[in-house]
Amino acid sequence: MRILSEVDQRIRKLNEMDARTDGEYVLYWMRWNRRATGNHALAFASDLANRLELPLLVFENLDCEDRYANDRRHTFILDGVAETASAIRKLGAGYQFHLAHRKGEEPRDWRHVLAGAAAVVTDDFPESVDGKLPKFEVQAFAVDASCVVPMSCIETRCYAAYSIRPKIQKLLAEYLRPAPVVKLRKRFAGAAEKLPDVALVQCEIDHTVPPSTTFHGGRKHAELHLERFLENRLRRYTSDKNNPSAHATSDLSPYLHFGFISALEVALAVGRHAKEHKLMADAFLEELIVRRELAFNFSRYSKKVDSLDELPEWARATLDKHRKDAREHEYTVKQFESAETYDDLWNATQKELLLRGKIHGYYRMYWGKKIIEWSPTPEEALATMIHLHDRYALDGQDPNTYGNILWCFGLHDRPWNERPIFGMVRWMSRGGMDRKTKVGDYLKEIEYLERTGKELIA
DNA sequence: ATCGGCTCGCGCAA
DNA sequence: TGCGCGAAGCCGAT
């Protein structure tokens, strides 16, 4: 009983319909949480299937609709499909995956799959990032399986970490527990459908962005990263997290973004190590939960996440006041994209994005601040950052990423000394990077990665 | 090396 | 109504 009430806050009815009595199964449309374990949406769908005495069918798909759809993201997603399929089928549910090859192509059998559903469950995600969900002609639910503390528990927009932190802390005891494991009572009948043969060349996507040199998709790789973090990195986390060449962070953001692993699963795993590394765990959980969920809160209460409109008033005013300030260096999107600035550290961070598909969190702040400094206007700087993330980052198009990018413009931050271009928005300098991080080691690492396509330290 | 000031406004105590 | 303090810093004074 407890479990159900606990799950309630995660569940949003998408309409007032009843389950269809002639339905053959409950359908879970897996979109943001591509995993078979630790998934509240899957758990709710399973529970619903049991209550209706029906089997469960999981439908996952990948289309070419995103204008930035490319080999990198497609590969990362497809890496995980066989694993997900086998794990879902082991639960006794059906699993279908559809890969669209053309833009505008409706998932094969989608109408047919929908027509057989007594009810539909899908992942809940902030609409400013997710877009509008289709109208379902059948009972439908959206479940928040992304946040540790469900987004709906925080009923106001929060202006900074300090305002969401106590709210989350208070609810953590209730929500920091594993997603329920639900045993399906009815097996999905019928032979397992063959997974699609993957021929990326045939997909109508951008083939000029190659797969990441470093990150492979799927549950197994997510778990390997988590294990490596717990074994080798967590104990150094607070001292080294802002020194990229020390590799003390989890590198889990691509896996969290595609839902191969959940923040809750990571938090619980870190919690089990917390006795030995209490302070480290606290610092990590602050970022994994408080700051990540502050970003979800921002997306949830924003109309647009890719604009400066939602910045605090002081930030918009101060950036506007300095709009016409002279730029000592100014670059075009193309120059940024191909890492052609005068600053070797900045160029290396951009190359990290081009090659690994992800920039270390600390250097990403520097990367963003410099794009503001070297762009003709704040609006163009924002557009450049979003373009580069959309195109190259495996953790792009995520509430967390929009939060990180807009932080560079003052979101969730406070004013500081007024200076050119930035006004009172916090500034970061190359001197600071040289002082606080081992820039030389990082440059070597990226140079090696660029030359060989391999990581210097495996 | 360390420290205070910078500057605004939310959120809570009173 | 007042007050403390804050998403990751910088700079200049000591």
Side-chain angles (χ1 to χ4, degrees):
Chain A
M1 275 294 117
R2 258 207 77 261
I3 286 179
L4 279 180
S5 75
E6 192 184 304
V7 166
D8 276 351
Q9 280 289 339
R10 297 188 183 274
I11 297 158
R12 189 161 64 89
K13 275 181 167 179
L14 294 176
N15 58 40
E16 292 301 322
M17 294 172 156
D18 289 324
R20 200 146 61 200
T21 48
D22 60 347
E24 296 157 41
Y25 43 77
V26 168
L27 176 66
Y28 170 42
W29 183 20
M30 180 185 266
R31 302 180 308 125
W32 291 94
N33 296 284
R34 298 176 188 262
R35 62 178 181 276
T37 58
N39 183 338
H40 290 93
L42 176 65
F44 174 73
S46 305
D47 187 53
L48 185 59
N50 284 347
R51 280 187 276 141
L52 297 172
E53 298 180 357
L54 290 172
L56 176 73
L57 174 61
V58 177
F59 186 82
E60 190 182 356
N61 67 308
L62 176 59
D63 60 37
C64 309
E65 299 310 310
D66 191 293
R67 61 185 276 247
Y68 287 96
N70 58 40
D71 285 9
R72 173 167 301 175
R73 258 205 301 268
H74 263 54
T75 302
F76 195 78
I77 292 168
L78 292 167
D79 280 346
V81 171
E83 262 175 291
T84 308
S86 111
I88 292 284
R89 284 169 184 161
K90 231 174 243 162
L91 297 173
Y95 175 89
Q96 284 190 31
F97 183 88
H98 184 254
L99 174 66
H101 288 88
R102 299 266 158 259
K103 286 189 200 295
E105 176 184 330
E106 190 173 80
R108 178 175 45 83
D109 296 339
W110 177 232
R111 273 160 210 270
H112 183 71
V113 165
L114 270 180
V120 177
V121 177
T122 192
D123 304 320
D124 205 3
F125 218 69
E127 197 174 287
S128 58
V129 177
D130 196 17
K132 268 212 180 334
L133 283 168
K135 279 239 181 317
F136 293 101
E137 304 295 322
V138 55
Q139 184 183 52
F141 302 89
V143 181
D144 177 356
S146 300
C147 289
V148 174
V149 173
M151 289 176 275
S152 67
C153 291
I154 316 282
E155 286 166 342
T156 54
R157 181 171 182 153
C158 295
Y159 289 86
Y162 70 84
S163 65
I164 203 173
R165 190 176 295 119
K167 297 184 174 108
I168 287 181
Q169 292 291 356
K170 219 173 67 190
L171 293 165
L172 224 42
E174 192 182 342
Y175 288 103
L176 207 51
R177 55 185 79 220
V181 177
V182 181
K183 265 200 137 81
L184 284 162
R185 285 202 276 272
K186 293 239 171 175
R187 286 191 75 82
F188 188 85
E193 211 180 283
K194 207 170 154 287
L195 295 175
D197 287 323
V198 176
L200 276 189
V201 224
Q202 289 167 19
C203 290
E204 198 181 342
I205 57 174
D206 178 3
H207 297 298
T208 64
V209 181
S212 164
T213 52
T214 310
F215 298 103
H216 304 282
R219 179 71 188 190
K220 192 182 73 203
H221 286 281
E223 285 174 359
L224 284 172
H225 275 83
L226 174 57
E227 215 169 288
R228 185 185 62 179
F229 177 67
L230 295 174
E231 294 307 317
N232 308 321
R233 300 181 171 200
L234 180 59
R235 78 178 78 88
R236 299 182 283 125
Y237 187 73
T238 40
S239 52
D240 290 351
K241 72 186 163 100
N242 284 351
N243 181 17
S245 62
H247 297 280
T249 55
S250 72
D251 286 336
L252 281 169
S253 63
Y255 302 95
L256 291 169
H257 172 67
F258 290 104
F260 289 130
I261 198 163
S262 72
L264 177 54
E265 292 173 295
V266 174
L268 290 168
V270 168
R272 289 193 287 272
H273 281 241
K275 288 190 190 79
E276 303 154 59
H277 309 290
K278 182 81 171 67
L279 287 175
M280 310 289 162
D282 286 350
F284 179 73
L285 294 177
E286 162 75 12
E287 307 218 358
L288 178 76
I289 305 175
V290 174
R291 301 212 190 143
R292 179 170 179 272
E293 295 188 9
L294 177 61
F296 273 79
N297 173 271
F298 170 74
S299 292
R300 179 177 158 85
Y301 291 102
S302 295
K303 270 208 174 63
K304 275 168 75 67
V305 280
D306 55 353
S307 102
L308 301 176
D309 298 348
E310 309 271 357
L311 290 180
E313 186 52 38
W314 68 265
R316 282 194 293 134
T318 198
L319 286 168
D320 198 50
K321 183 178 165 199
H322 291 268
R323 165 178 302 282
K324 300 229 164 79
D325 290 359
R327 271 68 173 161
E328 196 179 328
H329 305 273
E330 205 172 286
Y331 301 105
T332 62
V333 181
K334 224 176 156 52
Q335 286 172 303
F336 281 124
E337 188 155 9
S338 43
E340 287 169 2
T341 74
Y342 76 94
D343 176 359
D344 56 354
L345 173 58
W346 192 92
N347 294 343
T349 63
Q350 172 61 19
K351 284 176 187 170
E352 182 179 13
L353 178 61
L354 294 173
L355 296 163
R356 288 182 179 144
K358 173 180 176 302
I359 311 180
H360 185 284
Y362 193 63
Y363 278 165
R364 179 162 67 181
M365 296 190 276
Y366 177 71
W367 175 89
K369 293 288 185 184
K370 291 299 150 188
I371 292 179
I372 297 176
E373 192 173 333
W374 302 333
S375 291
T377 63
E379 290 76 17
E380 283 165 271
L382 178 67
T384 298
M385 289 187 217
I386 291 177
H387 162 72
L388 293 177
H389 270 86
D390 281 357
R391 183 138 201 244
Y392 298 104
L394 286 171
D395 56 7
Q397 303 180 323
D398 191 274
N400 210 19
T401 312
Y402 292 112
N404 287 175
I405 289 175
L406 286 167
W407 176 83
C408 296
F409 295 82
L411 178 71
H412 299 152
D413 204 5
R414 59 167 156 153
W416 300 88
N417 258 350
E418 192 160 6
R419 59 175 298 122
I421 302 171
F422 288 85
M424 290 179 294
V425 171
R426 187 196 302 255
W427 185 64
M428 289 176 83
S429 71
R430 171 62 193 262
M433 298 301 106
D434 287 327
R435 203 166 54 247
K436 290 186 268 192
T437 73
K438 293 192 171 167
V439 170
D441 290 354
Y442 179 77
L443 293 179
K444 260 185 238 156
E445 188 180 294
I446 298 301
E447 188 274 328
Y448 183 86
L449 183 63
E450 188 184 16
R451 189 157 44 80
T452 65
K454 289 190 174 63
E455 293 291 342
L456 192 54
I457 309 138

